[in-house]
Amino acid sequence: MKTIIANWKMNVGVRESVALARGTLLLLRGRKFLPQTIICPSFIALSDVKKVVARSAVQLGAQTVSHESEGAYTGEVSARMLTELGVSHVIIGHSERRQQFRETDEMINKKMVQALSNHLIPILCVGEQATDREMHQEKNIVKQQLKYVLASIRLKSSDQFMIAYEPVWAIGTGVVAQLTDVLLMHEWIRLTLKEIFPSEESASFSIVYGGSVEGVNAYPFLREQEIDGLLVGGASLKLHQLKEIIEAASSVIEAQTL
Ligand code: PGA
């Protein structure tokens, strides 16, 4: 299985989101080997986009969720509200939220709890800064992020979650990470998750890569068994780019199936 997650960020309003969702559906139509496709519009477009994807295999994700369950939290959207809208996935702890909205590991941990207890599948983002990598600290940083955020979480066997490895310096910069570095980090994340959840092998998780993915660079990542998919920002807003990424995923799935 390969997963393509489209993170539209704060780039498109309701009308454009509906058009993009329709365009994404068209890209998938008639294909025999389909990646799991999750589109993440802004909160305001979730409801309309849900109508577009309702009878398709495309799933709906939110870009964030409140760390609280309900109450006097002006402007927040709870996990229960997202479930009510038919959202299945939620991006948690994206570096843009950590940096620009001061989300702490403690908050991100609470968001994970909210998501899991409301049957949303979290897409937890982790990744190092450029300076961390310069100082060879990338593994320590990612391990710390996972430990802080996941330490107190008790998984049920039915729980699913995704980790998105997104080096901060690769997001929106056009500088894509080296495949070998991504493979090493994915392996490290798997080892760390085993440490955190030694007895909970039955809970299933997958690890995707994100950061300046485009049509031209998607295939080498998708071809690797260790990489379960891609989290795509900028390129997911351009249907010709998304088409190439979906084609790359389909050809990998086809090759694995035959
Ligand atoms: P990008 O964004 O593909 O534009 O680098 C990825 C992300 O932020 O999830």
Side-chain angles (χ1 to χ4, degrees):
M1 166 65 87
K2 296 288 172 185
T3 303
I4 305 297
I5 305 163
N7 177 11
W8 295 344
K9 309 192 182 186
M10 200 177 73
N11 287 305
V12 276
V14 178
R15 234 181 303 162
E16 276 176 291
S17 296
V18 165
L20 258 183
R22 288 202 179 114
T24 305
L25 281 188
L26 283 176
L27 294 180
L28 295 166
R29 185 172 290 171
R31 272 179 214 282
K32 198 163 162 210
F33 300 97
L34 281 181
Q36 177 188 28
T37 307
I38 305 161
I39 53 182
C40 307
S42 74
F43 284 141
I44 59 155
L46 283 170
S47 193
D48 287 81
V49 170
K50 178 67 198 174
K51 287 178 200 142
V52 176
V53 300
R55 273 177 294 279
S56 77
V58 172
Q59 291 170 293
L60 194 60
Q63 297 174 14
T64 184
V65 63
S66 177
H67 60 293
E68 296 292 345
S69 59
E70 62 178 354
Y73 300 100
T74 303
E76 288 288 88
V77 173
S78 73
R80 187 176 53 79
M81 293 171 183
L82 293 177
T83 311
E84 193 185 323
L85 278 182
V87 170
S88 55
H89 292 71
V90 59
I91 298 172
I92 291 180
H94 191 283
S95 67
E96 286 155 12
R97 298 214 54 91
R98 289 182 197 252
Q99 287 181 329
Q100 294 169 46
F101 303 96
R102 306 272 183 273
E103 282 189 7
T104 60
D105 284 329
E106 192 190 344
M107 281 168 81
I108 296 167
N109 166 270
K110 286 181 161 188
K111 286 168 188 253
M112 286 291 292
V113 171
Q114 286 302 322
L116 288 167
S117 54
N118 284 279
H119 313 291
L120 290 170
I121 300 173
I123 303 166
L124 172 64
C125 301
V126 293
E128 81 283 357
Q129 308 270 353
T131 45
D132 301 326
R133 186 162 278 276
E134 278 157 25
M135 294 188 294
H136 307 291
Q137 288 303 308
E138 67 276 7
K139 283 186 170 180
N140 287 340
I141 294 291
V142 168
K143 186 172 193 164
Q144 263 176 33
Q145 289 172 343
L146 289 168
K147 286 211 152 165
Y148 280 130
V149 170
L150 297 173
S152 62
I153 288 182
R154 294 281 150 266
L155 289 177
K156 298 190 291 301
S157 60
S158 57
D159 284 339
Q160 295 176 42
F161 67 96
M162 291 183 176
I163 304 284
Y165 169 52
E166 298 208 301
V168 178
W169 47 269
I171 297 176
T173 57
V175 183
V176 72
Q178 295 287 326
L179 177 60
T180 45
D181 291 337
V182 175
L183 289 172
L184 283 173
M185 188 59 89
H186 279 219
E187 197 187 329
W188 178 249
I189 291 171
R190 270 180 222 283
L191 283 173
T192 307
L193 289 175
K194 276 217 182 91
E195 251 177 61
I196 300 172
F197 303 117
S199 59
E200 296 173 86
E201 286 154 35
S202 42
S204 60
F205 60 85
S206 47
I207 310 175
V208 302
Y209 166 76
S212 295
V213 171
E214 290 180 3
V216 288
N217 58 30
Y219 184 76
F221 288 108
L222 289 164
R223 192 176 48 189
E224 298 292 336
Q225 206 178 341
E226 189 65 43
I227 300 174
D228 295 310
L230 298 169
L231 174 43
V232 189
S236 70
L237 296 161
K238 299 178 194 120
L239 286 172
H240 66 280
Q241 289 279 344
L242 189 63
K243 180 169 183 266
E244 282 183 49
I245 295 168
I246 286 173
E247 274 166 0
S250 302
S251 65
V252 168
I253 299 167
E254 180 171 7
Q256 287 174 349
T257 314
L258 298 175

